[in-house]
Amino acid sequence: MRARVRGIALAAALLAATGCDGGDGTSAPAGPSAVVFHAGDNPERLSDWGVLPVAGGRLTLAGGVVPYDLATPLFTDHAGKLRTIWMPAGTSARYDATATFDFPVGTVITKTFYYPRAGAEEGLVAPGDRAAGQGGASQGGFGLDLSRVRLIETRVLVRRESGWAALPYLWDADQKDARLHRTGAVIPLTLAREDGGRERFAYVMPNANQCAGCHVDNLASRAFQPIGPKARHLNIEFDYPGGRENQLRHLAAAGYLTGTPEPAAAPRSADWRDPAQPLEARARAYLDINCGHCHNPAGAAKTSGLHLGPEVTDARELGFCKPPVAAGQGTGGHRFDIVPGRPDESILVYRLASVKPGAMMPELGRTLAHDQGVALIRDWVAAMAGRCD
Amino acid sequence: MRRMTLALCAMLAATQLAACDQSDQKQAQAPQAAPPGPTASGDPGAGAAGFQDTLQQKLLDAKPGDVILVPAGRHAFDRSLSLTVDGVTLRGEGMDRSVLSFKGQIAGAEGLLVNASDFTIEDLAIEDTKGDALKINDGRNIVIRRIRTEWTNGPDTENGAYGIYPVQTTNVLVEDSVAIGASDAGIYVGQSRDVVVRRNRAELNVAGIEIENTVNADVYENVATRNTGGILVFNMPNLPVAGHGTRVFNNRVFANNTGNFAAKGAAVASVPAGTGIIVNSNDEVEIFANEVADNDTANIIISSYFSTGYMNQYGVAENFDPYPERIFIYDNRFSGGGGSPDGIELKTLKTLLYGPFGRFPDILWDGWVDPKKLVDGKLPPELAICVANGEAQMLNVDGPDGNRNPGVDMAAHDCTLPRRAPVELAPPLDQLTKKGA
């Protein structure tokens, strides 16, 4: 069963790729055994993993590599993201209703950050995160057309015997391969906004330790975890080559996930962009994915007493009339994290909207403000009743 | 050699290929001035970015027991550094010689972020970070020695919040360091346990040295001057651990009269300029043998969370204890101060009670007591604020009653409390000290 499904995925990937060899001698050919689990060494080139071969002017997915998306994704300077997951033959992850799935040793997860090109001018890019619930897979089937997108970085999360390792790869200027760049980098870009305006910004690729800034949700254990592959984030439909299907169901059918309930019985985060869903659920989903991995009772931001995970019900822990602990200039001159009905007086809104490194939240992963996300949180705060007295 | 270097610089400058000058201005402009292009500034060998990458790479690759050296010189960074490996020592050649400058920082909430135990940092400076300078979040056995954190433009609300900032740490030694210009606290030990802060200098910060929600801290032989408040012992609500047990002794705390430049809403924004030592909502604090002088509001303030302006019935956890209790003040040497308090309320009160040219007593107390703990209308001695400091007086400004009945009643505070034992670090201080020597 499993081999058959993965065979179909492979065929789709091969169809999407117009050629198996880019002719430059650097691209790994796509194939059933193309993905290599490096159990200990950290290869210099992304192509050594074989997950995302560049072929025929496209970034493609090797056989058995399954793309996925999140109900509400993290904002990263409007970058588009192509997320994939692969596991060695005969292995699978165990479903969990709340925590990150228990992935087997050998699992390779990738996230490729890219922008649609907005013209010939070098570094001029368009927002890549417009399509909700689609991710990179919408850019012309599986994979990405490199004449239309600019690849920035691919982050590889690999599950080894010792736990998860994070390896950030920076794409070469010629877009043929990406190289391990553990110290991070700054890439100057210009964003062509929908309204015609242009905004220069510095895309900041985090260093390998900074990856842990988000991916370690328990500061004391320092155990690294993927964030996205949780039931509530994955429980949405996705456009696969074989048709639209629920991601949990698809992963189960592919043999990647065991113990999976029917999607209706699994938790589901709201899609932050879907106005048909309740404002409260959308705002909480946004805070969950953007903040909750640090702002939880075991996370790096536990020092703040502000908890923004989906399980929190205490209004004060969510910031309601809560004085800040160590916000410094991040208060923006305001007294409480959330002043009900008054987003302009709420520290939470101020820090989400700020682009000052010493004040902004999240601390990493963006240099631009996410106007639409801030608007959502503003609406949420504006709709709250009560007073801080 | 030197001549050759200069010649090479001149040549490069002439062709505008690169700058040998690693000046802060150039770094600061880099993100805006750099043309959009595929080149990552993190490429090895790219001038200032070269050392940035070299150091970060060493921090990434470090093994327990490693000593990472920072050579003399001014090294420019545009992003945060971070360390997550236990047992590492980061060592420069002196706090005025090995300088990590973050003036051109474009990303990251601190200069150096450490999430590791058995960490020693010594003999270097961290300057002009956009957020905190040195943050150590969660770890044991932390030594911070001869470190300077500074915002070089002086007091400014836009400066980063904290200079030296261990938080949720255990067994911490901060010594012989210098913290200047933080818009919140120069040295800020938060939510920690078993802490020694000694022989440091804190200047031109909003709070010079702050001990917050920390259990068992000794703060001694420090100099705190020209801050808004010199030494603070605070408790903040909504945190897992309430602080108690701090000894503040043998410090020199004088002329902390810099106008409060904290961002409004920050806890320290409520500290009046001209405060020497202030205890807020914390318990079991001993203040003795300090030289406290010329702090224009008061040499010592004892206050509750009610005086911060942040108390509200929804936002503060019910189990939070806002009252300072078991405070013992003795044998300090006071002089000057109290003559020009900050804020219209205190100014008015001072003039009312002591005339335009008079001064407040050395100690101000906001007067809040926990009604649940009163016995016959007063706090039992074991919870009291005890003052045994010669002629020094404590003025109760009667905060609960809107300052209507202020007064000095030293008899009510004529008591003593058991003296706390010195903080003993484990592993002991001499081992921590040897490790870095």
Side-chain angles (χ1 to χ4, degrees):
Chain A
M1 169 65 186
R2 173 127 167 241
R4 185 175 62 80
V5 176
R6 287 195 192 174
I8 292 169
L10 167 66
L14 287 174
L15 280 174
T18 54
C20 289
D21 183 3
D24 52 33
T26 57
S27 316
S33 60
V35 177
V36 181
F37 163 52
H38 295 267
D41 65 310
N42 298 331
E44 277 302 306
R45 292 160 183 262
L46 180 65
S47 56
D48 292 334
W49 290 94
V51 176
L52 299 165
V54 173
R58 296 181 62 84
L59 184 76
T60 67
L61 276 52
V65 175
V66 176
Y68 68 94
D69 214 335
L70 309 184
T72 287
L74 174 80
F75 172 77
T76 312
D77 282 349
H78 295 292
K81 297 173 189 177
L82 171 61
R83 300 175 183 83
T84 71
I85 190 161
W86 177 89
M87 288 171 228
T91 65
S92 56
R94 204 167 53 234
Y95 176 86
D96 189 291
T98 53
T100 296
F101 299 147
D102 180 17
F103 289 99
V105 170
T107 300
V108 180
I109 292 174
T110 74
K111 184 156 68 163
T112 299
F113 294 70
Y114 67 89
Y115 290 91
R117 295 178 189 271
E121 189 182 322
E122 183 56 48
L124 183 65
V125 297
D129 59 346
R130 281 183 189 149
Q134 294 295 314
S138 64
Q139 301 285 329
F142 281 97
L144 298 167
D145 179 349
L146 297 180
S147 68
R148 293 173 55 196
V149 307
R150 158 89 186 266
L151 304 175
I152 307 291
E153 57 164 324
T154 295
R155 302 179 190 169
V156 174
L157 277 183
V158 54
R159 176 70 169 89
R160 291 172 167 155
E161 286 289 352
S162 55
W164 288 96
L167 300 171
Y169 288 85
L170 178 67
W171 279 89
D172 292 339
D174 65 8
Q175 306 271 288
K176 286 179 178 163
D177 206 345
R179 280 158 212 281
L180 186 61
H181 210 87
R182 297 171 67 228
T183 56
V186 177
I187 298 105
L189 295 171
T190 303
L191 188 73
R193 290 193 171 280
E194 286 171 339
D195 62 7
R198 291 187 175 190
E199 183 169 6
R200 285 180 138 194
F201 71 104
Y203 180 96
V204 179
M205 174 186 180
N207 71 50
N209 276 347
Q210 289 172 327
C211 295
C214 290
H215 284 273
V216 170
D217 62 4
N218 185 319
L219 196 66
S221 74
R222 280 184 255 160
F224 205 96
Q225 286 287 336
I227 296 168
K230 296 188 178 91
R232 64 181 182 273
H233 301 312
L234 293 179
N235 190 8
I236 52 170
E237 307 273 301
F238 188 88
D239 284 320
Y240 298 98
R244 196 166 169 78
E245 188 182 16
N246 179 278
Q247 294 188 131
L248 292 176
R249 194 174 276 156
H250 185 87
L251 288 169
Y256 275 170
L257 198 55
T258 60
T260 321
E262 275 303 297
R268 173 182 294 191
S269 278
D271 178 345
W272 75 281
R273 290 195 155 196
D274 182 358
Q277 299 184 34
L279 175 63
E280 170 83 12
R282 292 160 59 210
R284 292 297 300 274
Y286 189 86
L287 295 173
D288 175 13
I289 199 75
N290 282 284
C291 321
H293 37 79
C294 279
H295 279 278
N296 71 69
K302 64 182 173 176
T303 56
S304 68
L306 179 71
H307 305 319
L308 299 173
E311 73 289 349
V312 178
T313 53
D314 182 304
R316 173 175 38 79
E317 288 183 16
L318 285 167
F320 190 94
C321 297
K322 179 189 164 303
V325 171
Q329 54 177 290
T331 65
H334 310 311
R335 293 167 68 223
F336 303 115
D337 291 359
I338 290 174
V339 181
R342 297 177 184 273
D344 288 332
E345 297 173 19
S346 299
I347 292 170
L348 183 76
V349 173
Y350 173 79
R351 301 195 80 168
L352 283 172
S354 175
V355 293
K356 295 194 293 183
M360 62 189 264
M361 285 287 160
E363 294 178 341
L364 299 168
R366 69 175 180 90
T367 56
L368 298 172
H370 188 200
D371 297 340
Q372 302 92 329
V374 172
L376 171 69
I377 301 304
R378 289 183 60 90
D379 289 348
W380 178 58
V381 172
M384 287 181 187
R387 295 170 47 136
C388 299
D389 54 24
Chain B
M1 183 60 199
R2 179 178 164 76
R3 187 182 295 167
M4 215 171 88
T5 308
L6 287 172
L8 184 63
C9 281
M11 197 178 79
L12 290 171
T15 55
Q16 297 186 330
L17 278 176
C20 293
D21 175 13
Q22 298 176 2
S23 75
D24 297 324
Q25 283 76 12
K26 284 204 165 58
Q27 280 298 308
Q29 290 165 5
Q32 290 305 317
T39 321
S41 75
D43 282 350
F51 183 72
Q52 169 165 279
D53 271 17
T54 302
L55 183 53
Q56 182 57 61
Q57 190 81 48
K58 285 181 180 173
L59 295 172
L60 287 168
D61 295 339
K63 303 278 182 295
D66 278 4
V67 176
I68 298 173
L69 300 174
V70 177
R74 173 172 292 269
H75 310 289
F77 297 83
D78 63 4
R79 285 161 284 148
S80 294
L81 295 162
S82 59
L83 171 71
T84 58
V85 180
D86 290 342
V88 172
T89 294
L90 182 61
R91 180 182 297 152
E93 295 183 20
M95 68 163 77
D96 294 315
R97 298 189 68 217
S98 296
V99 179
L100 313 181
S101 171
F102 289 82
K103 208 161 198 168
Q105 187 172 17
I106 59 169
E110 53 281 305
L112 172 61
L113 174 64
V114 177
N115 173 208
S117 290
D118 304 303
F119 171 68
T120 296
I121 181 169
E122 55 192 11
D123 296 304
L124 57 82
I126 299 174
E127 289 184 355
D128 296 319
T129 50
K130 296 296 187 224
D132 308 322
L134 169 62
K135 181 175 180 180
I136 299 161
N137 194 354
D138 197 302
R140 294 183 58 86
N141 309 334
I142 308 297
V143 177
I144 299 162
R145 175 186 296 122
R146 296 185 298 270
I147 293 298
R148 177 171 55 89
T149 60
E150 180 167 5
W151 284 269
T152 57
N153 57 325
D156 186 338
T157 305
E158 294 296 307
N159 289 353
Y162 304 112
I164 294 169
Y165 179 18
V167 60
Q168 297 193 339
T169 49
T170 302
N171 221 45
V172 182
L173 174 63
V174 182
E175 65 179 6
D176 301 314
S177 293
V178 175
I180 300 171
S183 69
D184 203 302
I187 297 172
Y188 178 89
V189 183
Q191 304 176 48
S192 293
R193 183 178 287 270
D194 300 335
V195 174
V196 172
V197 176
R198 63 180 185 182
R199 301 193 306 256
N200 305 284
R201 183 178 184 89
E203 201 164 344
L204 292 170
N205 310 283
V206 175
I209 297 169
E210 180 170 356
I211 306 296
E212 177 246 60
N213 289 68
T214 287
V215 179
N216 209 26
D218 273 357
V219 180
Y220 60 91
E221 295 173 20
N222 301 281
V223 174
T225 185
R226 296 204 295 161
N227 307 284
T228 298
I231 297 177
L232 286 67
V233 183
F234 268 41
N235 263 349
M236 298 290 292
N238 308 322
L239 297 174
V241 178
H244 62 87
T246 295
R247 303 193 310 159
V248 178
F249 60 100
N250 290 346
N251 300 283
R252 292 182 61 218
V253 186
F254 59 96
N256 291 284
N257 299 320
T258 296
N260 195 318
F261 59 100
K264 201 178 140 206
V268 298
S270 68
V271 175
T275 301
I277 299 170
I278 178 167
V279 176
N280 189 284
S281 316
N282 206 298
D283 292 350
E284 215 172 308
V285 181
E286 240 175 290
I287 302 171
F288 62 96
N290 300 285
E291 181 187 329
V292 193
D294 301 329
N295 302 288
D296 284 344
T297 291
N299 285 328
I300 294 183
I301 295 177
I302 308 297
S303 60
S304 70
Y305 198 67
F306 296 103
S307 296
T308 62
Y310 301 120
M311 187 54 124
N312 74 80
Q313 59 178 313
Y314 307 107
V316 174
E318 274 180 32
N319 64 0
F320 177 63
D321 173 11
Y323 304 97
E325 289 159 351
R326 287 176 287 155
I327 312 294
F328 191 15
I329 301 169
Y330 60 95
D331 294 347
N332 298 283
R333 299 179 301 283
F334 296 115
S335 62
S340 180
D342 186 23
I344 190 74
E345 280 175 34
L346 288 175
K347 263 191 215 319
T348 306
L349 191 66
K350 197 275 296 183
T351 307
L352 202 68
L353 295 175
Y354 301 98
F357 306 108
R359 56 180 289 268
F360 273 143
D362 288 304
I363 310 167
L364 295 188
W365 171 42
D366 71 358
W368 287 87
V369 290
D370 189 345
K372 293 194 299 290
K373 293 177 185 154
L374 294 181
V375 177
D376 298 332
K378 57 184 277 191
L379 273 185
E382 69 270 20
L383 294 178
I385 298 169
C386 297
V387 180
N389 215 113
E391 299 300 303
Q393 290 190 326
M394 181 165 79
L395 173 68
N396 175 356
V397 303
D398 190 26
D401 207 18
N403 306 124
R404 272 195 285 272
N405 294 297
V408 173
D409 177 8
M410 294 313 291
H413 302 280
D414 182 10
C415 51
T416 60
L417 289 163
R419 299 190 183 190
R420 291 184 55 80
V423 172
E424 293 196 11
L425 298 182
L429 206 55
D430 59 342
Q431 275 184 28
L432 290 175
T433 305
K434 251 183 237 155
K435 183 177 158 237

